Amino acid sequence: MTTAPAIAAQPKGKAWHSQSAEEVLAEVASTAEGLSSQEAAQRLAANGPNELKEGKRISPWQILLGQFKSLLIWILIAAGVISGVLGEVVDAIAILAIVVLNAVIGFYQEFNAEKSIAALKKLTAPQAKVRRDGKVISIPASGIVTGDILALEAGDLVAADARLLTAASLKCIEATLTGESEAENKRPATLERDEVPLGDRENMVFMGTSVAAGTGQAVVVATAMNTELGRIAGLIEEAGAEERTPLEKKLESFGRVLVWAALGIVALLFVLGLLRGTKLLELFMTSVSLAVAAVPEGLPAVVTVSLALGVLRMSRRRALVRKLPAVETLGSTTVICTDKTGTLTVGEMTVRALYVAGQSYAVTGEGYGPDGEVRYEGKKVEAQHAAPLLELVTVLLGCNNAHLVQEDGKWKTVGDPTEGALLAAGLKAGGDRERVEKEWPKHHEIPFDSDRKLSAVIRELPDGKLRAFVNGAPDVLLERCANLYTGTGVRPMTDADRQHILAQNTAMAQQALRVLGSAWRDLEINQPVAADVRRLSSSAGTGQSLLTSAATNKVDGLTAENVERDLVFVGLTGMYDPPRQEAKAAVAKCHAAGIRVVMITGDHPHTATAIAREIGIASADDVAIAGVELDKMSDAELHKRVSKIAVYARVTAEHKLRIIRAWKANEAVVAMTGDGVNDAPAIKGADIGIAMGRAGTEVTKQAADMIITDDNFATIVAAVEEGRGIYANIRKTLQYLLAGNTGELLLMTVCVIIGLPTPLLPIHLLWINLVTDGLPALCLATDPIDPDVMKRHPRRRSERITNRSFLRTMGLTGFLTGGVAFAVYLYVLKSGTTETARTYAFAVLVFAELLRSFGARSETKPVWRIPLFTNVNLIIVVAISFGLQVWSQHNAMLGRFLKTSSMPFADCFLLLALGAIPLLVLELVKVVRNQRRGAASLPDQPVNPTAPR
């Protein structure tokens, strides 16, 4: 027998489905009777338990230390320490308090441990039935090894990847891997091709999926991390090591430039002071002041608060944000890759069309609820259509094991989703399920088989006769039909009838409908046999396995071959998972905003393409690219073609991650939405991962940056709108803060160069940066979002947050505020003390900054064209700041804290007038610029014409 280590070497993704059962058993060194307990123990010891590995968890200390990686933070720490050493205790405490506050906020936001792989472990089976030593026993799933024989039955959670040996009406729900909720039929037959999409591997069962119906036996070919679920776990861990968000990268890049520029100026002025013979203590104080002037201390808090307020607004629009930077990332999104089932569509199979007695009918309503009706030529059906419709729905209800239940106001199906859709349609068309069950009790059932592609239920009619109701694939069903229901009776079927029905089937299939044919046949059996069947029915219960098996033995001839022939064809039923009503409008809104929407689904290509065309994602010429075709593409080829592909179908978790990375390689900012485990790696690898709150698995939610509570694509678009508004607010807030710092730095630098005493002390600069600038900046971050924000195209990933226009405005503002303060300082210094001159320079700079906050609300609109009371908080903050500034010049305690002297009220009003000069000049510049552009009112952000369309 093959040794255990050799078994462990089985490769992931091996084409087990294209090998015969005998070949697979030989390769894993097993038999249909299973392994011996001794051999299983050896393999378990050699290969380890059948468990998914958890990734390394980041400790709280690592998260806390991560808050101090920024160069800007270390400059602040150095400034605080130096201030403390030099005896400026108040300055040191204020600076270090900023550092601690920023670290606490950052730690709080990031202290969400990565639980994606831990959540995956919940999907694995705690117990499993295997054949050991020739007997079926139940063991912990972690003890399963390659070569074990799994015994599967309805309700089981599959514990490992396995190749089927036998199957009886076996159906598995593989939504965790494929994203499609419909149960897949399983059969042990060998598949011919090696390259078969995961969802089409009918002879394989996979870890984490569940058995919906039937029984089977399968040999385990992969365990733990070698399974398909294990591969997804590995992809999640790999995708988790992605780069930070665009905003984080832009702010970090900007911070480096700012810090090194500030250090360069400080070093230059320090050397200049040494050459002049300035005292070392004074030089240190000047250097600290310059460092404080250059660094916008309030920026980390402003950005955090702005994002946090965005989170609050988004929650009101049914979007829950788990990671703060994701708020802004949404605003710069250029591509949204979305799952189909449940996001763009309702997520529930719904019958849309009926065909019976030569007439076509439309069915309205969505999901499994009773809302809706049957229509003929756009109108509700009239009495003359009742009989043929009842004939068809009687078959739909008679050959049906599903039940509809209402939970929390929502209708759900218990049983097969397809049968649930047929049941809902039957009720809309006037059928009576209770009457069918009561008057025509079930006597026998022949379950669906993937080889026959038919299912049959035999019921006893009131006169004691038996009638078989049969549903299945239309082409197969037609071959077994000899007669046709016409609405007025039954007649023999002609070749012309068959061609007409097949043409109708094709027409419905081209509309992305899944088509089901319905037929019936009266059976001739002896009365004693019928009585025997009735006895079995009452003893076993309707539809139970005892009845089925007993009836099969007792009722001679009730086999599929004998029952499913000479049938009376009744009609066709077309069903699909319909698009959400609001999805089409949301996709159109994305297109208007320059955002590309791409569908990525595990569904079949023709269905995916039809839905994509219906809601506007794909044009008439677009076709879906299947996962098999993706496997043939190199990464380089995919990078080139990805921008031209609108629909991907029959894809796996690995395919989805490749698509995301291909878009990112093309400088796109990518959002990925989904609900299944198979979506989790791509969600983790995208710039912004979005999980569905209702249908989403715990794995997907833990991997996501944002959770949509109503599973609606339109909510994602609303969140993008919020994100764009937040970015615009952060940009104008950043400009307001940096322009103030520029003015302070210019004032300090000019005075040092020409040999004047330092015009502002560190406490003055901290007061301006935190109170005078910081509080209005927080109010600017909460400005109402521009209603035209979704009419602009998104920013490029490479676009700098500080472009030329930004820097020009920042430089002009700094020159104006610094110039006014320098003029006041120089004037007062000639006739007064240094302390008085500093007080006046400090006051005029504060007044200029506060007044300028009103103009900073827009980069293009003059202050008189911005409604004043749309930001009441800003008015309140400016008023309080004015009051504190004036009070500091007339209150001894506050004056000592701020190191200012007293000032007459008349001088306060004079300085207020001088402080208005920068605001007036900047607003006049806006008017001139607007006139040059030929428009009185332009959007705050320029349209990016190169965004993907």
Side-chain angles (χ1 to χ4, degrees):
M1 184 175 283
T2 308
T3 60
I7 300 302
Q10 300 299 337
K12 295 184 196 177
K14 185 177 176 65
W16 299 104
H17 53 271
S18 60
Q19 297 184 42
S20 68
E22 293 75 14
E23 290 172 333
V24 173
L25 285 169
E27 191 158 342
V28 298
S30 185
T31 68
E33 293 300 310
L35 301 173
S36 67
S37 298
Q38 181 181 0
E39 174 63 19
Q42 290 176 356
R43 296 189 183 189
L44 185 64
N47 303 332
N50 177 37
E51 295 177 341
L52 299 180
K53 293 179 182 177
E54 261 190 88
K56 278 188 177 180
R57 294 197 176 187
I58 302 174
S59 71
W61 283 111
Q62 287 176 298
I63 296 174
L64 184 61
L65 292 174
Q67 309 308 312
F68 297 93
K69 291 180 180 178
S70 168
L71 188 59
L72 185 146
I73 293 296
W74 281 106
I75 292 296
L76 283 178
I77 292 173
V81 170
I82 293 171
S83 295
V85 170
L86 296 177
E88 300 293 334
V89 179
V90 175
D91 296 353
I93 292 173
I95 293 172
L96 295 176
I98 296 165
V99 173
V100 172
L101 179 65
N102 184 68
V104 169
I105 293 173
F107 177 83
Y108 177 77
Q109 292 300 332
E110 293 180 23
F111 189 55
N112 289 319
E114 296 296 330
K115 296 177 182 176
S116 295
I117 297 175
L120 270 172
K121 295 181 78 173
K122 295 177 184 177
L123 292 174
T124 57
Q127 292 285 319
K129 293 186 287 293
V130 298
R131 188 175 287 277
R132 294 264 176 95
D133 300 317
K135 299 177 182 178
V136 175
I137 60 172
S138 181
I139 64 170
S142 58
I144 289 175
V145 297
T146 304
D148 264 328
I149 305 298
L150 296 179
L152 303 171
E153 62 181 28
D156 285 352
L157 206 58
V158 180
D161 287 6
R163 167 68 162 83
L164 282 174
L165 303 177
T166 63
S169 304
L170 186 65
K171 287 186 176 183
C172 290
I173 297 175
E174 299 178 342
T176 52
L177 296 178
T178 65
E180 301 306 311
S181 58
E182 193 173 340
E184 298 288 339
N185 296 299
K186 295 293 181 179
R187 59 191 182 94
T190 304
L191 304 183
E192 294 181 1
R193 294 182 295 114
D194 287 346
E195 296 176 350
V196 177
L198 188 68
D200 293 335
R201 296 176 194 171
E202 297 177 337
N203 57 8
M204 297 288 296
V205 292
F206 302 100
M207 174 189 270
T209 63
S210 59
V211 179
T215 60
Q217 291 195 12
V219 58
V220 174
V221 295
T223 61
M225 296 299 287
N226 288 325
T227 62
E228 292 294 335
L229 196 65
R231 178 184 294 190
I232 292 177
L235 287 173
I236 293 174
E237 192 171 7
E238 176 190 342
E242 294 291 333
E243 68 271 15
R244 284 165 290 178
T245 68
L247 178 65
E248 288 176 315
K249 286 190 271 187
K250 288 172 184 175
L251 289 178
E252 183 186 355
S253 174
F254 170 77
R256 280 199 300 267
V257 173
L258 179 69
V259 166
W260 287 117
L263 287 176
I265 294 171
V266 169
L268 180 65
L269 296 179
F270 191 85
V271 171
L272 187 60
L274 285 176
L275 294 175
R276 283 182 175 168
T278 308
K279 293 180 181 180
L280 200 59
L281 181 62
E282 187 179 342
L283 275 177
F284 267 117
M285 287 305 300
T286 303
S287 298
V288 170
S289 298
L290 284 170
V292 172
V295 176
E297 290 86 358
L299 181 60
V302 166
V303 171
T304 301
V305 170
S306 177
L307 295 175
L309 289 172
V311 168
L312 182 61
R313 283 202 300 265
M314 284 186 178
S315 67
R316 292 171 185 158
R317 302 180 78 167
R318 296 179 293 279
L320 303 180
V321 178
R322 295 184 63 246
K323 301 173 184 176
L324 275 189
V327 178
E328 182 279 330
T329 310
L330 267 173
S332 58
T333 298
T334 57
V335 178
I336 299 176
C337 294
T338 176
D339 188 26
K340 174 184 71 68
T341 306
T343 307
L344 294 169
T345 65
V346 176
E348 298 172 346
M349 293 298 289
T350 304
V351 171
R352 273 288 176 263
L354 300 173
Y355 173 79
V356 59
Q359 303 294 337
S360 297
Y361 301 87
V363 184
T364 64
E366 292 180 355
Y368 305 116
D371 296 333
E373 61 186 15
V374 179
R375 295 184 176 183
Y376 179 70
E377 295 182 349
K379 298 178 182 179
K380 187 175 180 179
V381 291
E382 297 176 354
Q384 65 265 31
H385 298 284
L389 282 172
L390 188 60
E391 188 76 14
L392 175 58
V393 301
T394 298
V395 182
L396 300 183
L397 299 178
C399 185
N400 198 310
N401 290 317
H403 297 277
L404 299 180
V405 294
Q406 194 173 20
E407 295 180 4
D408 300 325
K410 183 177 176 64
W411 286 92
K412 297 181 179 179
T413 181
V414 178
D416 187 275
T418 299
E419 292 189 349
L422 297 176
L423 179 54
L427 300 178
K428 292 176 188 177
D432 188 336
R433 174 67 177 277
E434 291 183 5
R435 177 175 166 273
V436 169
E437 294 292 344
K438 183 179 180 181
E439 297 184 6
W440 300 350
K442 184 190 293 186
H443 280 177
H444 182 56
E445 181 176 355
I446 307 174
F448 181 89
D449 184 282
S450 56
D451 292 325
R452 290 169 32 245
K453 296 184 179 180
L454 298 172
S455 63
V457 170
I458 300 167
R459 294 180 177 273
E460 182 185 355
L461 303 182
D463 60 4
K465 293 182 178 179
L466 296 184
R467 175 173 289 184
F469 297 97
V470 184
N471 286 326
D475 52 344
V476 176
L477 189 68
L478 274 174
E479 292 176 1
R480 300 177 181 234
C481 290
N483 301 293
L484 175 68
Y485 172 77
T486 63
T488 56
V490 176
R491 65 169 173 79
M493 180 178 285
T494 65
D495 288 340
D497 293 329
R498 294 179 193 278
Q499 294 304 316
H500 182 75
I501 294 168
L502 287 173
Q504 186 67 28
N505 176 47
T506 302
M508 293 170 76
Q510 287 174 347
Q511 299 173 43
L513 297 177
R514 182 185 171 199
V515 188
L516 198 72
S518 298
W520 58 263
R521 178 193 171 199
D522 287 333
L523 306 175
E524 295 294 336
I525 65 169
N526 297 326
Q527 291 299 320
V529 176
D532 201 13
V533 172
R534 281 195 297 274
R535 179 183 60 78
L536 289 167
S537 176
S538 61
S539 65
T542 302
Q544 293 182 358
S545 58
L546 174 60
L547 167 64
T548 303
S549 59
T552 302
N553 296 328
K554 280 281 185 183
V555 185
D556 186 31
L558 287 188
T559 62
E561 292 76 12
N562 291 332
V563 171
E564 295 166 354
R565 60 181 177 81
D566 299 328
L567 300 171
V568 177
F569 184 84
V570 179
L572 301 172
T573 303
M575 70 195 87
Y576 79 143
D577 182 8
R580 288 179 178 269
Q581 293 180 352
E582 59 275 23
K584 191 170 185 177
V587 170
K589 196 170 186 179
C590 284
H591 290 163
I595 300 171
R596 179 76 179 273
V597 182
V598 178
M599 179 191 288
I600 306 179
T601 178
D603 207 346
H604 292 280
H606 69 276
T607 305
T609 304
I611 295 290
R613 287 172 180 165
E614 185 173 347
I615 62 178
I617 290 178
S619 66
D621 299 328
D622 287 328
V623 293
I625 297 295
V628 174
E629 296 173 70
L630 278 177
D631 287 331
K632 297 175 183 177
M633 287 188 203
S634 65
D635 287 341
E637 186 180 356
L638 182 58
H639 293 170
K640 291 179 182 178
R641 293 187 58 188
V642 70
S643 61
K644 299 175 182 177
I645 303 172
V647 184
Y648 298 87
R650 254 9 201 173
V651 292
T652 63
E654 196 168 6
H655 292 143
K656 294 182 181 186
L657 187 57
R658 279 190 69 200
I659 295 165
I660 294 297
R661 288 175 171 169
W663 271 111
K664 291 176 75 172
N666 282 282
E667 294 298 312
V669 178
V670 188
M672 172 70 195
T673 77
D675 53 12
V677 174
N678 63 318
D679 298 313
I683 282 175
K684 192 82 169 179
D687 292 297
I688 170 77
I690 305 169
M692 300 298 109
R694 291 181 181 174
T697 61
E698 187 64 23
V699 183
T700 314
K701 292 175 186 176
Q702 291 294 338
D705 302 296
M706 187 174 80
I707 299 170
I708 301 299
T709 60
D710 60 356
D711 292 11
N712 195 332
F713 184 78
T715 302
I716 299 170
V717 180
V720 170
E721 185 175 4
E722 287 287 348
R724 287 193 174 189
I726 288 165
Y727 180 85
N729 284 347
I730 288 176
R731 176 184 158 92
K732 67 187 177 188
T733 303
L734 181 63
Q735 188 176 73
Y736 173 72
L737 289 172
L738 294 179
N741 284 86
T742 303
E744 297 162 21
L745 199 58
L746 284 173
L747 173 63
M748 299 287 292
T749 303
V750 170
C751 288
V752 170
I753 289 176
I754 64 177
L756 294 177
T758 305
L760 296 171
L761 298 176
I763 191 64
H764 297 153
L765 294 164
L766 283 172
W767 180 267
I768 294 171
N769 289 354
L770 291 176
V771 180
T772 310
D773 282 359
L775 293 179
L778 288 174
C779 297
L780 289 174
T782 64
D783 239 5
I785 294 173
D786 187 341
D788 293 331
V789 74
M790 287 299 281
K791 295 179 181 177
R792 308 167 194 156
H793 285 277
R795 306 176 305 279
R796 284 190 174 190
R797 179 187 284 272
S798 57
E799 182 181 321
R800 297 172 65 92
I801 197 168
T802 52
N803 56 20
R804 286 185 182 180
S805 172
F806 182 101
L807 295 174
R808 279 198 302 265
T809 302
M810 185 183 80
L812 176 60
T813 306
F815 172 77
L816 290 170
T817 54
V820 168
F822 177 73
V824 169
Y825 179 68
L826 194 61
Y827 178 80
V828 177
L829 194 62
K830 288 180 180 179
S831 58
T833 64
T834 302
E835 185 180 0
T836 302
R838 282 173 176 162
T839 299
Y840 276 68
F842 176 41
V844 77
L845 201 56
V846 167
F847 293 152
E849 289 298 295
L850 291 173
L851 289 171
R852 192 172 59 80
S853 66
F854 292 108
R857 293 182 64 190
S858 173
E859 291 185 41
T860 55
K861 293 178 182 178
V863 68
W864 54 85
R865 295 195 65 241
I866 305 171
L868 182 64
F869 292 99
T870 52
N871 195 333
V872 177
N873 291 334
L874 180 61
I875 299 172
I876 295 172
V877 162
V878 168
I880 292 173
S881 299
F882 268 126
L884 285 173
Q885 189 63 37
V886 173
W887 188 33
S888 72
Q889 288 137 19
H890 297 84
N891 180 276
M893 186 175 69
L894 190 56
R896 281 195 301 273
F897 176 75
L898 291 176
K899 299 177 182 177
T900 59
S901 59
S902 62
M903 179 190 302
F905 278 110
D907 288 357
C908 287
F909 287 111
L910 177 61
L911 292 177
L912 182 61
L914 291 171
I917 292 174
L919 175 65
L920 294 174
V921 173
L922 290 169
E923 299 312 296
L924 289 173
V925 168
K926 288 181 188 177
V927 173
V928 173
R929 283 179 181 170
N930 288 342
Q931 288 176 344
R932 286 181 179 177
R933 291 171 182 169
S937 176
L938 293 176
D940 281 357
Q941 297 296 322
V943 168
N944 179 4
T946 59
R949 295 176 182 266

